[in-house]
């Protein structure tokens, strides 16, 4: 393992452990009911998720672009083989990417596409669009916006991603961005 991979693993472990410690059974039951059991839940509050990500970013200051997207992917996935993905871990991935949206590149659209396809809950899709994709796309330079436009045109033709593409198109920030 490289130092970057070790740091990502340590950050994911820190976030996972903290979210478990912040959880409450009644919130976990509520999330499970709301999402129809599609995702597991620790029962952590949204505030706890945001605070945990903030603390992780303070503790692991050296996270660059690659480390950030690796950490988001680690959090998005299953906590262990055979386990269901966890709602709060996925929410933490979104908060992480939201915090670092201006660092993201057009090439990260593929990863975000995977997140949208595997979200299993509209409660995760909406913040990916509004809090990650919109600021990310707004911060891209002209050439990167053109490349992103090619990906978004493909999304418009894909029934699973068409709603996301439509939501992005309707956003005022994107309407004013040349090339999209």
């Amino acid at each position: 393992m490289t130092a970057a991979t070790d740091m990502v693993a340590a950050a994911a472990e820190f976030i996972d452990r903290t979210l478990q410690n912040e959880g409450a059974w009644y919130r976990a039951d509520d999330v499970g009911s709301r999402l129809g059991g599609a995702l597991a839940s620790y029962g952590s509050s949204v505030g706890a998720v945001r605070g945990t990500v903030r603390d992780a970013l303070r503790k692991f200051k050296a996270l660059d672009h690659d480390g950030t997207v690796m950490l988001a992917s680690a959090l998005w996935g299953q906590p262990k083989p055979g386990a269901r993905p966890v709602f709060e871990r996925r929410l933490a991935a979104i908060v992480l990417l939201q915090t670092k949206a201006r660092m993201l590149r057009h090439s990260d659209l593929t990863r975000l596409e995977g997140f949208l396809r595997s979200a299993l809950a509209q409660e995760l899709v909406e913040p990916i669009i509004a809090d990650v994709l919109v600021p990310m796309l707004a911060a891209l330079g002209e050439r990167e916006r053109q490349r992103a436009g090619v990906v978004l045109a493909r999304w418009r033709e894909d029934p699973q991603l068409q709603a996301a593409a439509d939501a992005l198109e309707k956003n005022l920030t994107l309407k004013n961005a040349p090339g999209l």
Side-chain angles (χ1 to χ4, degrees), residues 156-170:
R156 285 183 199 98
E157 302 301 318
D158 186 321
Q160 193 174 3
L161 298 170
Q162 192 170 19
D166 290 346
L168 288 168
E169 192 171 349
K170 287 177 187 174

Side-chain angles (χ1 to χ4, degrees), residues 45-109:
S45 68
V46 172
V49 172
R50 290 188 177 285
T52 298
V53 171
R54 181 194 61 231
D55 292 347
L57 289 172
R58 286 181 184 157
K59 184 174 179 146
F60 301 96
K61 292 178 184 177
L63 277 175
D64 60 2
H65 169 268
D66 292 346
T68 298
V69 293
M70 284 172 50
L71 178 55
S73 290
L75 293 169
W76 195 265
Q78 299 166 303
K80 59 186 174 184
R84 286 183 301 161
V86 178
F87 176 78
E88 290 84 1
R89 286 172 55 101
R90 289 187 167 193
L91 188 57
I94 294 168
V95 170
L96 172 67
L97 293 174
Q98 172 189 14
T99 304
K100 300 290 190 172
R102 296 204 175 272
M103 172 189 287
L104 299 176
R105 305 173 185 148
H106 75 278
S107 57
D108 296 320
L109 283 171

Side-chain angles (χ1 to χ4, degrees), residues 133-135 137-139 145 152 156 165-180:
L133 285 166
V134 168
L137 293 169
R145 276 197 301 271
L152 295 178
R156 285 183 199 98
D166 290 346
L168 288 168
E169 192 171 349
K170 287 177 187 174
N171 185 284
L172 227 56
T173 306
L174 295 178
K175 284 184 179 180
N176 295 329
L180 288 180

